Amino acid sequence: YPGDSLVHYRYDKTRAILFDIVHYNDQINQKFTFQPTYTSRINASGSRYEYDGRKSKFEYLISSDYMLAKNLFGIDYIKKSADMNGKLANQDIYSIFTEFKLEPSINTNLDISGRREYDNNYGNFDTARMQINHRSLESYILRASIGTGYRTPTPYELYSDYGNTNLKPETSLTYDLGFETTFKPLATNFYIGLFETKVEDIITYSSLKYRQTSSNLKSNGLETRIKSKVSDSFSTSLNYTKTNAKENDGDSVTLVPKDKVSLFLNVAPTNNLTLDTSFLFQNKAKDTKYNE
């Protein structure tokens, strides 16, 4: 920081593989996923520090579709392990979750989901989410949702040289409201929405150590999206998100960009081949030293 020199350099790398098997039939679908990830981080600022982390995720999903109700059930297991200059850390997370998609009326869809996780370091956590979509005049949809969440400290935040084993999980509440419309002659879909998230028990880095604060942070913003199907073999999408995120002491939240633009181009030259490309631009994010 601000860049590599004779006494300071960073060398980070991540490798991952995603492997899944899906089985379909008329009413029941099943999916098994295995995803291993390996991360290494070498940092030297006077002395050398190395962090090596591994994460393996196993997930099984089964979904069904009967008449006016669709439901999904899943279980997953995540194992995290880390080696920080010889200091070892392990974390095991077991989860069970379900989701129901209901149609209270011909123009209204209601999604309700719940999740229970068991963490070998922190015990049980429950989260839930509800979303409602209402269609008006065929081409207009109003959307609203509310959900809870939490984030446990990472092995690096707990056991590294800057770690703190007294850290507790962060908790959050998120809600949003949006509007969507479709222009059928142009095969184009447009969405605009507002969102807000509040996070409690923030984990921050200060004075060379990770710490838990009694402060909270609020982030809110605007999201827009336009998708267009130019032809049967070519489609595109452009997304823009504006985010304002600050802690209650007025400091900007680190690593959250104020502007984010995503462009997707999808081409299907044949019925059996699809090429997906994407471009991502992020602007005005603060690093952990609050530099923009």
Side-chain angles (χ1 to χ4, degrees), residues 29-228:
N29 299 325
Q30 300 179 76
K31 182 178 181 180
F32 174 80
T33 301
F34 171 58
Q35 184 176 13
T37 304
Y38 170 75
T39 303
S40 70
R41 178 186 308 152
I42 299 175
N43 183 80
S45 181
S47 60
R48 177 188 173 97
Y49 180 85
E50 183 171 352
Y51 169 92
D52 296 293
R54 296 178 182 271
K55 181 175 75 171
S56 297
K57 179 178 181 179
F58 301 85
E59 182 178 67
Y60 171 73
L61 300 175
I62 181 170
S63 60
S64 61
D65 183 357
Y66 290 100
M67 299 177 65
L68 297 179
K70 300 179 182 179
N71 63 81
L72 177 146
F73 173 80
I75 56 176
D76 66 35
Y77 167 67
I78 298 176
K79 182 175 182 60
K80 299 179 181 180
S81 58
D83 182 346
M84 292 153 284
N85 278 358
K87 187 181 295 185
L88 304 178
N90 292 284
Q91 184 179 21
D92 296 282
I93 304 171
Y94 304 85
S95 304
I96 182 171
F97 51 94
T98 187
E99 179 180 6
F100 294 92
K101 296 179 176 291
L102 310 173
E103 295 183 16
S105 71
I106 192 172
N107 292 322
T108 304
N109 296 325
L110 179 65
D111 297 352
I112 301 174
S113 60
R115 182 183 186 95
R116 163 159 284 202
E117 292 192 0
Y118 171 76
D119 188 299
N120 66 323
N121 293 322
Y122 298 102
N124 293 330
F125 285 89
D126 296 315
T127 55
R129 185 174 186 271
M130 181 173 68
Q131 175 177 305
I132 186 169
N133 303 332
H134 179 72
R135 183 181 297 275
S136 176
L137 302 176
E138 294 188 358
S139 299
Y140 303 97
I141 300 176
L142 293 175
R143 303 181 180 276
S145 71
I146 184 170
T148 61
Y150 81 98
R151 184 187 77 86
T152 59
T154 66
Y156 188 83
E157 292 170 335
L158 290 169
Y159 301 111
S160 69
D161 289 350
Y162 316 103
N164 181 355
T165 56
N166 294 320
L167 296 176
K168 302 298 182 183
E170 300 175 340
T171 58
S172 65
L173 175 67
T174 300
Y175 46 90
D176 60 65
L177 178 66
F179 168 79
E180 181 179 335
T181 186
T182 300
F183 305 98
K184 290 185 177 180
L186 302 176
T188 298
N189 176 271
F190 174 75
Y191 171 82
I192 183 170
L194 303 173
F195 61 88
E196 180 170 281
T197 298
K198 183 178 181 181
V199 184
E200 304 278 359
D201 302 319
I202 302 299
I203 297 173
T204 62
Y205 178 79
S206 63
S207 302
L208 300 179
K209 194 175 185 66
Y210 285 99
R211 304 178 188 275
Q212 197 110 38
T213 69
S214 58
S215 65
N216 59 65
L217 69 84
K218 283 187 177 181
S219 64
N220 54 64
L222 170 73
E223 180 180 13
T224 61
R225 179 182 68 244
I226 185 167
K227 298 169 61 177
S228 182

